[in-house]
Amino acid sequence: MVEELGRRKVNSGDLYVLRFYNRLDETRKGEIACANAGEARKWMEAFDHAKQQAEYELSRGASTRSKLNVENEINLEGHRPRVRRYAHGLKKLIRIGQGPEMLLRQSSSLEGRGRADAFFDAHGGDAVEAHEWKCVRTINGVRIFEDVASSESGKGVVVKAVGVVDASADTVFDVVLSLDRHQRYEWDTLTGDLELVNYENGHYDVVYGVFDPNYLTWWRSKRDFVFSRQWFRGQDGTYTILQFPAVHKNRPPKSGYRRTKINPSSWEIKNLNTSSSSKVAQCLVTQTLEINTKGWFKWKKDYSPKFEKTIPFALLSQVSGLKEYVGANPALTAESPTTVIHSKISDVLESNGELEVAEAPDEFYDAIAGDSSSEDDNSDDDSEKVNKNRRIKLKNVSWAIASLALQRMSAPDANKELNPDVTPINLDAFQFHGSMQRGGDETDTNCWTSPSGTGFMIRGKSYLKDSIKVKGGEPLLKLIAVDWFNVDNRVDNIALHPKCLVQSEAGKKVPFILVINLQVPAKPNYSMVLYYAADRPVNKNSLLGKFVEGTDMFRDSRFKLIPSIVEGYWMVKRAVGTKACLLGKAVTCKYLRQDNFLEIDVDIGSSSVARSVIGLVLGYVTSIVVDLAILIEAKEEAELPEYILGTVRLNRVRLDSAVRLEN
């Protein structure tokens, strides 16, 4: 297992630290320090690729297994020459960087798919809360959007500034997080003077800052502020930074300064797919914040100069400053696009479909968020020929693809995944009881329901060729109950507990139950246990059958979850996101296959990033509605189209309603 520990202060600088360990024996572990976020990302990709390559080699027979076992560990306590020897062997196995073995990501016939993510987001939103982003201004090449859906609610207005920066997401992330005063003075008009107050962990810190508002208006006194910063990188390489006003005992208001609150805001920094001929990386930078409605509407209507002398406007201007600063520093832009790992076995793997080394990246969110900002963010390509070809292809196929992508997936073929020779039983939901109540209608709270899969985007039949996703259909498995437990320590193998539904008389009669045990770290700890039932035994030759009876490595590489905050605070939505997550790669998952069930224990606390996000969610849990979809990722043509295994909607859950479960 490899985990990102985030940034760590070392002397006067920052390093990005990775921890690797044996899941079965955590005493066998080590750390790698990287100079920047990009290097850490490359190491993560390299380790992931090495695991895939090892899985492929092991699947080829006993001879290769013996070969791999010749030297099966890295001894970090040994002499440096030996460590260098192992590092050299790892370098031979995995190529990081440029050269003839660099693999370019597969592109579709659209040569970038015309920013398909923006198109699909714009036409979603009927199953989840819709964001209607409307561009209201363009300032210095940066677009300013307003969420007109949230403004109609009468609360604060959620706005965002969106710009394309000619540098990689890794570089921009480092610039935004940097506390270097000289650097910040070149792009940040508001929070240029920052100093570290507290370093909580590699993904969270607290900073103190001051600013003199003379450039805004002459009569205001000097201001100081404290805010926390929380950051993480998604599996697709997108960086998210959340900034909240904070109070810290070590930084009371400074004499001669007036304490002010910086608006809560978030940064999202994601790489753009540039053409193969371009040597300059590009990323999309989005800064989102919530502001008072009165000043915003007046500025939008009358171009009021008063708003342009406020903290919210200064925050929105940070994207413009960042864009110009990066453009004025060639050293930041003279870098190659995102490196993709490639080895000599990749051609064989791609041809026989046994292992997917690199695939076309998902180009839109997996939970429909109804985001109608076009965000077609690539600037003009260097080659006019590329533009011409793209226009022609888009003209010919854009409407066809639009129609195809918005089609709803039909319900999965149960006869393919479940045994067709067995008569289905009647899964009467009222036979099964969990500690959390089932919701009757939308007014119920502290309850669960099972929505359809139409709020989620899954891989279509032709995904390997065109990366097109479609709306999900009805889940294959039926959610029959949910348990909400309060525990002292994390509980594995919960299906074996006498109080568990699986051990009840009704549970023993179900042909197959998939038990998802979401282990929530807190004080105390919690377990959210989801029970998904099949009305027939699983077909062992199906994808579900391979998952149920397969190895843990196979399960880790396929078990996928898609989250969506349907209702709730916009900052929580930004933190959780709507991108699919391979849970086995993000956190530690343990599996128990017995009798008529498969249990998956998802240890959310095994990842510092996941702990940080779940901590934020728990702070607002009584006011949010969250949808989750679980599925098995399809990687081969025969496995497509994907289908949704199960869904759940958790409606404003109360922590104090959890039932005590003795370990």
Side-chain angles (χ1 to χ4, degrees):
M1 299 294 294
V2 184
E3 177 187 5
E4 287 187 89
L5 299 183
R7 302 201 327 165
R8 181 180 298 176
K9 298 293 292 184
V10 178
N11 297 327
S12 60
D14 292 317
L15 293 176
Y16 290 80
V17 182
L18 305 178
R19 179 173 76 103
F20 56 94
Y21 60 95
N22 186 317
R23 188 170 64 181
L24 301 180
D25 181 7
E26 293 196 15
T27 63
R28 301 169 63 184
K29 59 186 177 181
E31 292 184 349
I32 294 177
C34 306
N36 52 57
E39 185 179 328
R41 174 184 53 78
K42 291 179 181 180
W43 273 105
M44 290 290 290
E45 291 176 353
F47 273 109
D48 182 59
H49 177 70
K51 290 174 67 176
Q52 292 185 56
Q53 186 168 3
E55 181 182 13
Y56 170 73
E57 293 289 347
L58 290 171
S59 68
R60 297 176 63 184
S63 60
T64 51
R65 179 182 294 272
S66 301
K67 180 180 177 182
L68 288 172
N69 283 335
V70 173
E71 290 188 277
N72 58 3
E73 67 178 46
I74 299 178
N75 182 7
L76 294 179
E77 297 178 355
H79 298 293
R80 287 190 177 274
R82 186 179 182 185
V83 174
R84 284 197 293 268
R85 187 169 68 251
Y86 277 110
H88 178 71
L90 182 62
K91 186 176 180 181
K92 287 180 62 179
L93 175 65
I94 310 159
R95 301 285 185 179
I96 303 178
Q98 306 299 318
E101 293 192 356
M102 181 176 179
L103 174 67
L104 298 178
R105 288 195 185 272
Q106 298 175 355
S107 60
S108 74
S109 59
L110 287 180
E111 295 186 34
R113 294 173 290 284
R115 294 300 300 159
D117 55 337
F119 182 86
F120 299 129
D121 283 351
H123 290 73
D126 54 342
V128 295
E129 182 182 29
H131 289 276
E132 296 184 59
W133 292 108
K134 180 180 179 182
C135 183
V136 296
R137 294 285 174 84
T138 300
I139 302 175
N140 298 328
V142 172
R143 293 171 294 155
I144 309 297
F145 289 88
E146 171 193 1
D147 182 5
V148 295
S150 68
S151 63
E152 293 173 356
S153 66
K155 302 178 181 179
V157 181
V158 179
V159 299
K160 67 180 181 180
V162 181
V164 176
V165 179
D166 291 334
S168 70
D170 300 325
T171 297
V172 174
F173 171 74
D174 286 336
V175 171
V176 173
L177 275 193
S178 173
L179 299 181
D180 184 275
R181 180 172 301 177
H182 299 292
Q183 186 183 66
R184 296 193 75 92
Y185 274 2
E186 293 199 45
W187 66 273
D188 187 354
T189 60
L190 182 68
T191 58
D193 285 296
L194 294 179
E195 60 180 88
L196 184 66
V197 176
N198 191 24
Y199 211 88
E200 297 287 344
N201 57 53
H203 297 276
Y204 186 93
D205 66 12
V206 179
V207 296
Y208 169 81
V210 298
F211 71 93
D212 187 343
N214 283 339
Y215 74 95
L216 298 176
T217 180
W218 63 271
W219 54 267
R220 290 184 181 176
S221 60
K222 294 181 179 180
R223 305 293 183 94
D224 67 352
F225 54 87
V226 178
F227 65 82
S228 64
R229 306 187 302 176
Q230 180 179 341
W231 60 86
F232 46 88
R233 180 173 61 85
Q235 290 182 341
D236 64 340
T238 298
Y239 291 97
T240 300
I241 306 172
L242 307 176
Q243 298 181 166
F244 289 95
V247 176
H248 200 280
K249 61 181 181 180
N250 293 340
R251 281 296 185 273
K254 191 175 181 179
S255 177
Y257 287 78
R258 180 181 172 186
R259 178 58 54 90
T260 190
K261 287 187 177 181
I262 300 295
N263 297 56
S265 63
S266 70
W267 292 85
E268 184 180 89
I269 307 165
K270 62 179 179 181
N271 281 311
L272 294 175
N273 288 331
T274 55
S275 63
S276 58
S277 61
S278 175
K279 295 183 179 180
V280 178
Q282 286 185 323
C283 67
L284 174 69
V285 179
T286 302
Q287 187 179 30
T288 308
L289 61 146
E290 185 176 9
I291 63 178
N292 181 274
T293 57
K294 184 177 179 181
W296 170 256
F297 288 143
K298 189 172 182 180
W299 176 74
K300 188 176 66 170
K301 181 180 179 181
D302 303 327
Y303 289 81
S304 172
K306 290 184 178 180
F307 180 76
E308 297 177 6
K309 296 180 180 181
T310 63
I311 289 176
F313 186 80
L315 289 173
L316 289 173
S317 299
Q318 286 180 323
V319 177
S320 298
L322 189 65
K323 178 182 176 75
E324 294 302 314
Y325 166 68
V326 172
N329 288 270
L332 295 173
T333 60
E335 55 190 352
S336 61
T338 302
T339 301
V340 181
I341 307 303
H342 177 63
S343 75
K344 293 180 179 180
I345 68 166
S346 61
D347 295 335
V348 177
L349 301 179
E350 288 181 358
S351 63
N352 64 20
E354 290 185 52
L355 174 63
E356 182 179 50
V357 177
E359 60 183 336
D362 296 345
E363 282 303 314
F364 46 86
Y365 294 117
D366 298 302
I368 304 173
D371 188 344
S372 61
S373 61
S374 62
E375 296 193 7
D376 45 344
D377 313 292
N378 285 329
S379 60
D380 294 337
D381 286 88
D382 297 333
S383 170
E384 183 63 28
K385 182 178 179 180
V386 172
N387 277 333
K388 184 177 180 180
N389 290 339
R390 179 176 297 173
R391 285 195 296 269
I392 293 173
K393 291 175 180 177
L394 284 173
K395 180 179 179 181
N396 292 337
V397 302
S398 60
W399 288 108
I401 288 181
S403 174
L404 172 65
L406 291 176
Q407 290 177 2
R408 175 181 170 183
M409 272 291 298
S410 59
D413 184 359
N415 287 329
K416 179 180 177 182
E417 299 300 313
L418 305 178
N419 193 331
D421 299 326
V422 177
T423 303
I425 69 168
N426 179 30
L427 291 173
D428 185 358
F430 295 99
Q431 299 178 25
F432 310 99
H433 304 283
S435 58
M436 179 176 285
Q437 67 175 353
R438 184 194 308 267
D441 55 45
E442 294 183 358
T443 62
D444 290 345
T445 61
N446 194 38
C447 62
W448 65 269
T449 56
S450 181
S452 72
T454 55
F456 303 94
M457 302 298 291
I458 60 179
R459 298 180 175 188
K461 182 64 178 177
S462 58
Y463 179 83
L464 296 181
K465 299 176 182 178
D466 53 27
S467 298
I468 294 296
K469 290 190 175 183
V470 296
K471 288 184 179 181
E474 292 300 316
L476 175 69
L477 305 181
K478 183 175 183 178
L479 181 61
I480 56 175
V482 175
D483 272 325
W484 181 223
F485 290 134
N486 172 336
V487 296
D488 289 328
N489 301 307
R490 177 172 53 85
V491 178
D492 293 331
N493 303 336
I494 204 164
L496 301 180
H497 196 283
K499 289 186 178 181
C500 182
L501 179 149
V502 178
Q503 300 302 322
S504 67
E505 289 302 317
K508 292 178 180 179
K509 295 178 181 178
V510 177
F512 175 74
I513 301 177
L514 178 63
V515 182
I516 310 295
N517 178 17
L518 300 175
Q519 300 166 335
V520 182
K523 294 182 179 180
N525 294 307
Y526 299 92
S527 273
M528 176 74 70
V529 189
L530 313 174
Y531 302 94
Y532 294 97
D535 58 7
R536 285 170 284 171
V538 175
N539 182 354
K540 294 184 178 181
N541 296 322
S542 66
L543 178 58
L544 177 58
K546 294 176 182 178
F547 180 82
V548 171
E549 305 296 343
T551 64
D552 288 357
M553 184 176 291
F554 178 81
R555 293 164 176 160
D556 281 346
S557 67
R558 297 298 190 99
F559 182 46
K560 189 160 66 174
L561 179 142
I562 307 174
S564 176
I565 303 294
V566 181
E567 296 180 22
Y569 183 38
W570 69 272
M571 284 285 277
V572 179
K573 292 184 179 182
R574 303 295 287 190
V576 173
T578 52
K579 290 292 291 182
C581 174
L582 286 169
L583 285 181
K585 293 186 177 182
V587 297
T588 299
C589 293
K590 296 181 180 180
Y591 306 89
L592 176 64
R593 174 71 175 110
Q594 281 190 19
D595 303 325
N596 66 331
F597 70 89
L598 170 66
E599 176 179 337
I600 306 178
D601 298 317
V602 183
D603 182 8
I604 299 175
S606 63
S607 163
S608 58
V609 173
R611 285 197 306 270
S612 183
V613 173
I614 201 67
L616 176 62
V617 171
L618 290 177
Y620 295 89
V621 68
T622 57
S623 62
I624 66 174
V625 179
V626 58
D627 282 0
L628 302 175
I630 59 170
L631 57 157
I632 305 171
E633 183 168 88
K635 294 187 176 182
E636 300 178 15
E637 188 171 357
E639 299 169 348
L640 292 169
E642 283 183 336
Y643 60 86
I644 292 178
L645 268 179
T647 64
V648 64
R649 171 170 291 182
L650 303 170
N651 192 344
R652 298 175 176 85
V653 176
R654 294 202 318 269
L655 297 179
D656 60 5
S657 68
V659 174
R660 180 69 178 172
L661 182 70
E662 297 297 334
N663 291 5

